[in-house]
Amino acid sequence: GTRADTPRAQPRQAPGGFELAEATVADLQGLMQSGRHTARSIAALYLARIEAVDRSGPALRSVIEVNPDALAIAEALDAERAARGPRGPLHGIPVLLKDNIDTGDRMLTSAGSLALADAPAPRDAFLVERLRAAGAVILGKTNLSEWANFRSTRSTSGWSGRGGQTRNPYALDRNPCGSSSGTGAAISANLAALGVGTETDGSIVCPSNNCGLVGVKPTVGLVSRSGIVPISHTQDTAGPMCRTVRDAAILLGAMTGIDARDGATAASRYRTFTDYLPFLEAGSLRGVRLGVMRKFFGISPAVDGVMEQALAALRDAGAALVDPADLPSHGKLDAPELEVLLYEFKADLEGYLAGRGDTARHRTLEALIAFNREHAAQEMPWFQQELFEQAARKGPLTEPAYLKALAACRRLSRTRGIDAVLARHRLDALVAPTGGPAWTTDHVNGDHFTGSSSTPAAVAGYPSVTVPAGLVAGLPVGLSFVGAAWTEGKLLGYAYAFEQATKARREPTFLPTID
């Protein structure tokens, strides 16, 4: 590789043409320790990569904004390393954040909407404070499905009024999935070391599936949501999106912690770790009982083929499979879930906007609806705002309709869902295909999802980890591990053993289409 800070030719688009391609946190720490690179030179390489791959070349449009202070932050961290040594594994490591996560700096936090793109947030989200304290370099913000994909029933994932359409790095005419589409595409394309996404239902695990990443959707309350543009306080959580399980474990540990501004984090006391690496052992599947959620199979014969190979790999690694082990409530969550999300979105979003203070011109959902109508050419060229309008008609969170739907969600996802099947078969965790391969992006008709297993864990507020399992026609598909509340460590261990046994991730090559 070239020495730090020497001028470089344009990075080649071919895989392996980028000096830091597939570099892990450990690799980058090694480069800094040996003096071959500095945090500044690493940040500069990723910024050049963003210029070459995201702004031009394949033009992924996955990064909505780069941090104008990134190189200065990295330089200060280099000086600190020279004087006192590194703070920990994230010292000098570049991280990209989804653009619904507040940064109290010169970058905007817009959720992809022009309605919030006129002023920065007043302070960092709690998880951003934690990452800065760990020595991470916040490299920039990623594009997303606008308002975390809770605006229209006919949306196209990865599109926002501010950021345009994010493309899938494996095939540019395919969809990266939402709503953490930019984080998924960017981290897969090696535009930064690590990425943070957010999920209400599927928005970490689906883009991780479509973009060949490890995605961790933690237990609700493990990672604070304060300073994150919300949908639902019962389902929202941020989580890591990374190229390896080890990197995801490092990033997760750095983000945990109890935050007075998010009451849900109080429940994480004594159930959380700042270091998840001890859980990662190649033998961690030996003697483990895994239930196969067979009703999520059948996406396509090709996906089922990859999944049968994945199940064989789990068996070979020593796991005992209980197959089938389906949820008693399979398929019954969609209606009560939507009702809960519509009620909570209105209440939670208006609470967030109030916290933005004078930086938010629009304080109510009604005001945002009016903004979108006034700016329809920019904000609604392809799809409308049906979900906004449905949510605006909802009353307060004391209404019987909301309380009834919430009770149904808890019962069907937990006591008659994940908890029931784990207890009945004495299981350590459940497995299922995360989803099908990426579909072609279609602004006229909107998304055509082929299948997803994200809903039970999302509605329960329980953890799930997706890990690359194989390719279908050159497009990645993932295997999900789902567990009871606060079992992130165990799930990361299983995912690590599976990853080490299969090594299924392939670097994307920016094909124009799948031939």
Side-chain angles (χ1 to χ4, degrees):
T2 53
R3 206 176 60 72
D5 282 335
T6 49
R8 306 181 69 248
Q10 277 301 103
R12 296 199 307 277
Q13 298 318 316
F18 174 51
E19 187 183 344
L20 302 179
E22 302 296 285
T24 64
V25 167
D27 294 336
L28 296 174
Q29 289 298 352
L31 289 169
M32 288 187 278
Q33 235 164 332
S34 69
R36 275 183 54 206
H37 268 295
T38 61
R40 191 189 190 283
S41 69
I42 286 168
L45 282 173
Y46 281 123
L47 290 169
R49 172 79 168 175
I50 290 167
E51 200 52 51
V53 171
D54 207 63
R55 302 279 187 267
S56 46
L60 295 177
R61 298 179 97 145
S62 63
V63 177
I64 210 165
E65 185 175 7
V66 295
N67 187 351
D69 302 312
L71 294 177
I73 291 166
E75 215 164 302
L77 286 161
D78 285 328
E80 184 185 317
R81 180 188 290 264
R84 292 198 288 284
R87 297 181 193 184
L90 287 186
H91 191 109
I93 303 293
V95 179
L96 285 169
L97 304 173
K98 185 176 177 177
D99 183 42
N100 60 348
I101 300 171
D102 287 353
T103 53
D105 53 17
R106 291 200 283 161
M107 291 189 289
L108 299 172
T109 302
S110 69
S113 171
L114 299 171
L116 288 186
D118 54 355
R123 63 179 283 189
D124 281 344
F126 181 82
L127 79 82
V128 179
E129 291 173 0
R130 303 280 297 148
L131 291 174
R132 290 197 209 266
V137 176
I138 308 301
L139 194 68
K141 297 288 203 55
T142 56
N143 200 9
L144 68 163
S145 309
E146 188 178 300
W147 295 110
N149 224 0
F150 204 73
R151 198 191 85 189
S152 173
T153 53
R154 305 177 58 82
S155 69
T156 298
S157 289
W159 185 91
S160 72
R162 181 173 168 226
Q165 179 64 51
T166 306
R167 308 212 270 180
N168 189 306
Y170 290 87
L172 300 175
D173 62 348
R174 301 248 156 192
N175 199 276
C177 194
S179 66
S180 308
S181 43
T183 305
I187 300 306
S188 189
N190 285 281
L191 305 190
L194 306 170
V196 181
T198 68
E199 173 157 329
T200 306
D201 185 344
S203 289
I204 287 171
V205 297
C206 182
S208 297
N209 175 80
N210 284 26
C211 298
L213 296 180
V214 176
V216 182
K217 199 289 287 183
T219 306
V220 170
L222 189 76
V223 175
S224 168
R225 289 87 51 89
S226 67
I228 302 179
V229 184
I231 293 175
S232 153
H233 61 268
T234 55
Q235 292 184 208
D236 290 353
T237 178
M241 297 171 66
C242 303
R243 292 179 295 269
T244 68
V245 175
R246 179 169 284 273
D247 284 356
I250 291 169
L251 184 56
L252 182 64
M255 292 196 295
T256 62
I258 294 168
D259 173 18
R261 292 195 291 152
D262 180 0
T265 59
S268 73
R269 194 181 297 276
Y270 313 122
R271 293 167 159 148
T272 176
F273 298 85
T274 52
D275 181 7
Y276 285 90
L277 290 179
F279 289 98
L280 308 190
E281 289 179 26
S284 57
L285 282 167
R286 275 199 286 275
V288 166
R289 289 173 63 82
L290 299 176
V292 179
M293 294 194 279
R294 188 53 69 171
K295 284 183 178 169
F296 287 114
F297 285 63
I299 291 169
S300 75
V303 175
D304 283 348
V306 172
M307 287 303 129
E308 293 305 335
Q309 287 179 314
L311 296 180
L314 293 171
R315 275 193 216 96
D316 290 347
L321 300 187
V322 177
D323 184 2
D326 286 305
L327 306 179
S329 58
H330 183 90
K332 293 179 183 153
L333 283 165
D334 292 354
E337 179 189 24
L338 180 59
E339 184 79 346
V340 167
L341 299 187
L342 290 168
Y343 269 99
E344 293 190 356
F345 179 64
K346 182 183 181 182
D348 295 352
L349 182 64
E350 292 183 354
Y352 168 85
L353 293 171
R356 283 280 290 251
D358 297 336
T359 72
R361 271 185 313 168
H362 312 281
R363 300 299 181 89
T364 64
L365 187 50
E366 288 291 0
L368 294 170
I369 290 169
F371 176 92
N372 289 337
R373 287 197 189 118
E374 285 158 31
H375 301 84
Q378 297 88 15
E379 282 291 356
M380 304 197 291
W382 300 114
F383 52 87
Q384 303 298 306
Q385 52 182 344
E386 301 90 345
L387 293 174
F388 267 28
E389 288 161 357
Q390 289 172 38
R393 293 195 289 270
K394 295 296 182 190
L397 299 185
T398 49
E399 288 197 352
Y402 165 71
L403 297 170
K404 185 183 168 198
L406 182 61
C409 282
R410 292 276 146 92
R411 185 174 68 250
L412 293 169
S413 65
R414 296 177 181 180
T415 44
R416 288 193 44 220
I418 294 169
D419 296 337
V421 72
L422 292 176
R424 184 173 155 204
H425 300 291
R426 304 190 315 285
L427 301 172
D428 295 290
L430 299 162
V431 294
T434 308
W439 59 91
T440 43
T441 295
D442 180 353
H443 290 134
V444 178
N445 297 302
D447 286 332
H448 37 108
F449 284 103
T450 48
S452 161
S453 61
S454 64
T455 298
V459 176
Y462 288 1
S464 66
V465 176
T466 180
V467 64
L471 299 168
V472 171
L475 298 167
V477 291
L479 176 73
S480 279
F481 294 86
V482 173
W486 315 111
T487 57
E488 287 78 7
K490 280 170 42 170
L491 298 182
L492 285 164
Y494 307 154
Y496 178 76
F498 176 79
E499 172 195 60
Q500 295 306 299
T502 56
K503 297 265 204 289
R505 172 164 160 87
R506 295 291 173 268
E507 194 184 341
T509 57
F510 312 109
L511 297 173
T513 189
I514 295 295
D515 200 358

